[in-house]
Amino acid sequence: QVRLVEHGGGLVQTGDSLRLSCALFGDTFNAYSMAWFRQAPGKEREFIAAITWGGGTTAYTGSVKGRFTISRDSAVNTVYLLMNRLQPEDTAVYYCAARHSEHGWNNYLRADEYGYWGQGIQVTVSS
């Protein structure tokens, strides 16, 4: 029933900014914590950032902390990932994910905790 639709990928240059969005359909948005993962060619899927159902707590992986910001807007049932100072190492397919609040907050790093996933969107950073 729940589906996630992503927008905002593209080709940018090193140092540029880009904002991804992911809208949730089919259930109550504030019942879900939301997260972003990415997967580069030949690499494992990597946790990037997560935000609690109410938006009061966020978490980031060390490689993006200070550059990326996750946020959510309940008026449009959407989670965002603002990416600043992009580097070629950020090139990957980016996926949003939703986890029902019944799972709590602990273990937000685990991909298998998330029941719903977006379609994936390509971000390419050229040097």
Side-chain angles (χ1 to χ4, degrees):
Q1 185 175 353
V2 172
R3 61 191 188 278
L4 304 176
V5 181
E6 302 177 37
H7 293 281
L11 174 63
V12 298
Q13 295 182 333
T14 297
D16 283 352
S17 296
L18 196 64
R19 190 177 74 163
L20 307 182
S21 65
C22 174
L24 183 149
F25 300 86
D27 205 352
T28 304
F29 180 63
N30 64 5
Y32 293 85
S33 63
M34 303 293 292
W36 291 93
F37 292 76
R38 68 186 182 189
Q39 188 165 20
K43 296 185 178 180
E44 300 290 334
R45 184 168 51 183
E46 176 189 19
F47 169 80
I48 304 169
I51 186 167
T52 52
W53 42 90
T57 301
T58 58
Y60 300 89
T61 192
S63 63
V64 309
K65 191 173 184 180
R67 296 191 297 124
F68 290 11
T69 303
I70 188 170
S71 61
R72 63 193 297 160
D73 186 350
S74 62
V76 290
N77 297 338
T78 298
V79 63
Y80 301 96
L81 185 68
L82 175 62
M83 303 180 290
N84 291 325
R85 300 176 63 187
L86 283 162
Q87 302 296 316
E89 294 76 22
D90 297 314
T91 295
V93 176
Y94 284 69
Y95 299 90
C96 67
R99 181 173 67 156
H100 198 275
S101 62
E102 68 185 7
H103 291 269
W105 176 243
N106 290 344
N107 299 316
Y108 58 81
L109 290 166
R110 293 174 58 94
D112 61 4
E113 286 285 316
Y114 295 85
Y116 307 98
W117 293 84
Q119 79 276 16
I121 191 163
Q122 178 70 44
V123 173
T124 302
V125 185
S126 63
S127 60

